[in-house]
Amino acid sequence: MRCVWIAKRQPFMANHLERLTFVDETSVKTNMVKTTGWAPRGFRLVDHAPFGHWRTQTFVAALRHDRLDAPWVIHGAMNGEIFDLYIKTQLALREVGAWFLFLPPYSPDLNPIEMAFSKLKALIRKAAARTYDQLWAALGHVCDLFSDEECYNYFKAAGYETD
């Protein structure tokens, strides 16, 4: 399936970037901490993360060639019903006659939104949001940091480059 996608679908899609929308979800929490840091030589790096009753939030968004679109946060995990609600209320893709293609299984390298979410999670860790209000504010701020050039570069890195 990957071979068909790379050989047939990617070249066609690369010439129609304005029609592509990659949708994905990722978890965000109030206990996210940076994975690396700096401390003076001989000293341990100490950071703080809450312990106890934090709940997972799910962040879902759509990546287009020129923007991160329709960010949405839900309590808990994503399921089919909530995904359909997101598509219907936030993107309205079905109403404009869009059709859906699902990437081959285990193909994050073909999905440009994976790179965008990697940046998003790194910046959320850096923000060290410890309440839901702080987390949502940080998500809103981070979403505004994605430039049109950066979004296009995610598409290009995933193989959707125009000639």
Side-chain angles (χ1 to χ4, degrees), residues 11-162:
F12 175 79
M13 291 178 185
N15 293 315
H16 302 284
L17 294 183
E18 70 284 349
R19 298 178 63 192
L20 295 180
T21 301
F22 287 85
V23 178
D24 205 355
E25 51 86 22
T26 188
S27 65
V28 291
K29 306 174 192 173
T30 56
N31 73 336
M32 294 174 72
V33 295
K34 294 187 338 182
T35 57
T36 60
W38 180 89
R41 176 178 250 157
F43 290 89
R44 182 178 292 251
L45 174 65
V46 179
D47 200 356
H48 170 74
F51 178 79
H53 300 287
W54 40 265
R55 291 194 241 8
T56 299
Q57 307 290 296
T58 300
F59 176 80
V60 59
L63 183 68
R64 299 180 192 261
H65 75 289
D66 60 351
R67 67 189 179 278
L68 188 66
D69 204 12
W72 208 39
V73 179
I74 61 167
H75 293 285
M78 176 68 72
N79 61 31
E81 182 181 332
I82 294 173
F83 181 78
D84 286 341
L85 182 65
Y86 172 76
I87 295 297
K88 182 180 179 183
T89 62
Q90 303 303 306
L91 292 176
L93 291 177
R94 288 194 174 101
E95 285 74 21
V96 295
W99 40 279
F100 297 85
L101 283 176
F102 294 92
L103 288 166
Y106 309 108
S107 299
D109 56 319
L110 301 176
N111 191 354
I113 201 170
E114 295 291 343
M115 293 173 264
F117 278 0
S118 178
K119 174 186 175 175
L120 180 128
K121 287 188 121 174
L123 292 171
I124 293 299
R125 284 184 183 97
K126 185 177 180 180
R130 299 298 175 234
T131 68
Y132 291 134
D133 289 338
Q134 290 173 345
L135 180 62
W136 294 341
L139 280 167
H141 173 70
V142 168
C143 287
D144 291 338
L145 298 177
F146 288 87
S147 69
D148 57 346
E149 181 180 4
E150 182 178 11
C151 294
Y152 173 76
N153 286 337
Y154 292 140
F155 274 70
K156 193 164 110 178
Y160 304 93
E161 183 175 10
T162 58

